[in-house]
Amino acid sequence: MILYTLHDNGYIDIDNIESCKDVHVYVNLTNRCPCACTFCLRQTKEMTESNTLWLKQEPSVKDVINEFQKYNLNDFAEVTFCGFGEPITRVDDVVQIAKFLKNCRKDLPIRINTNGLGNLIHEKDITPMFKDCIDTVSISLNAPDENEYLELTRSRFGLQSFNAMLEFAVKCKDYVPYVVLTVVDIIGAEKIQKCQKICDDLDVQLRVRPFEV
């Protein structure tokens, strides 16, 4: 699936829904990711051929734009780059697609769900690329310190990942209207409180989301 939405606790190609009115559309660009998170659905959830997000091959920018051109963009509530992989591994393509969408509908909210390691992946600051085309960057904080973060995410970049992710969040604030850090509720109240302190210090929002099984 390239364009999908959430439906009955699963994923469904937006081609297979009755109406796209007010639908939240997700763009699935890649399987690649520098992390192997212990809680990731790639590790924990088996999917059937009809609802898997695993891509047999990465869609080109043209493929994705062709998919969007099947629909009335005025129907969409939001478009989010988020799939089984880390969308920012293809940051040039994300930005190109986002700019196409903004060209077609300037007020369409566009979000990236990311692990926040884009600057490590590309070995440069990519956040200026988001200016005027990305409205929200949602970053997985996951844990309140670098050791637990690495234990959970198993990032190939090692211990530097945690601080790099926080620095990425701060840099995004210069170019993106909304920057959000997220954690899952199962980490417990004490760790959530520590994560809230991190977000307060960075002046970004914390969102606590339910753990998916």
Side-chain angles (χ1 to χ4, degrees):
M1 284 185 283
I2 299 174
L3 303 184
Y4 70 98
T5 192
L6 303 180
H7 180 73
D8 293 337
N9 295 320
Y11 309 111
I12 185 171
D13 192 313
I14 63 169
D15 238 358
N16 298 327
I17 60 177
E18 291 183 10
S19 170
C20 285
K21 191 68 177 171
D22 297 324
V23 73
H24 289 256
V25 178
Y26 296 85
V27 185
N28 188 23
L29 283 183
T30 185
N31 300 326
R32 292 178 284 157
C33 184
C35 298
C37 299
T38 58
F39 53 82
C40 180
L41 296 182
R42 293 158 62 119
Q43 320 284 336
T44 64
K45 187 172 184 177
E46 293 200 13
M47 298 185 179
T48 64
E49 181 76 18
S50 63
N51 79 340
T52 185
L53 294 181
W54 191 263
L55 294 165
K56 292 181 179 177
Q57 65 179 43
E58 291 186 348
S60 67
V61 170
K62 184 178 180 182
D63 291 335
V64 177
I65 288 174
N66 285 345
E67 286 296 310
F68 273 114
Q69 287 177 325
K70 296 178 183 178
Y71 306 99
N72 182 350
L73 297 185
N74 291 317
D75 285 342
F76 297 162
E78 184 180 51
V79 169
T80 300
F81 290 90
C82 174
F84 254 12
E86 169 51 55
I88 284 181
T89 58
R90 295 183 61 184
V91 68
D92 292 314
D93 296 338
V94 166
V95 168
Q96 191 174 340
I97 295 163
K99 286 181 176 179
F100 163 79
L101 294 172
K102 286 291 190 183
N103 229 23
C104 296
R105 182 186 156 192
K106 190 173 183 180
D107 68 338
L108 177 62
I110 298 179
R111 171 164 51 110
I112 300 174
N113 287 358
T114 176
N115 57 31
L117 302 180
N119 288 350
L120 291 179
I121 293 169
H122 296 284
E123 300 181 333
K124 65 178 182 178
D125 180 15
I126 63 170
T127 59
M129 300 174 69
F130 301 153
K131 184 176 172 61
D132 298 328
C133 64
I134 304 298
D135 300 289
T136 302
V137 172
S138 179
I139 301 167
S140 299
L141 174 57
N142 292 315
D145 65 71
E146 61 184 12
N147 290 300
E148 186 171 351
Y149 178 88
L150 183 58
E151 185 180 339
L152 286 172
T153 64
R154 298 182 288 194
S155 166
R156 67 179 172 89
F157 297 111
L159 274 179
Q160 66 173 323
S161 301
F162 184 74
N163 285 331
M165 174 265 298
L166 297 182
E167 288 170 9
F168 179 82
V170 172
K171 289 179 182 295
C172 281
K173 290 167 55 182
D174 290 335
Y175 307 103
V176 178
Y178 305 104
V179 180
V180 182
L181 298 184
T182 70
V183 294
V184 290
D185 53 10
I186 60 167
I187 67 173
E190 183 179 349
K191 290 179 183 178
I192 288 173
Q193 189 175 10
K194 290 179 180 178
C195 291
Q196 183 64 65
K197 174 68 166 56
I198 291 172
C199 291
D200 291 343
D201 290 344
L202 299 181
D203 192 25
V204 299
Q205 181 183 342
L206 176 69
R207 184 169 73 89
V208 181
R209 50 193 177 81
F211 178 65
E212 291 186 55
V213 293

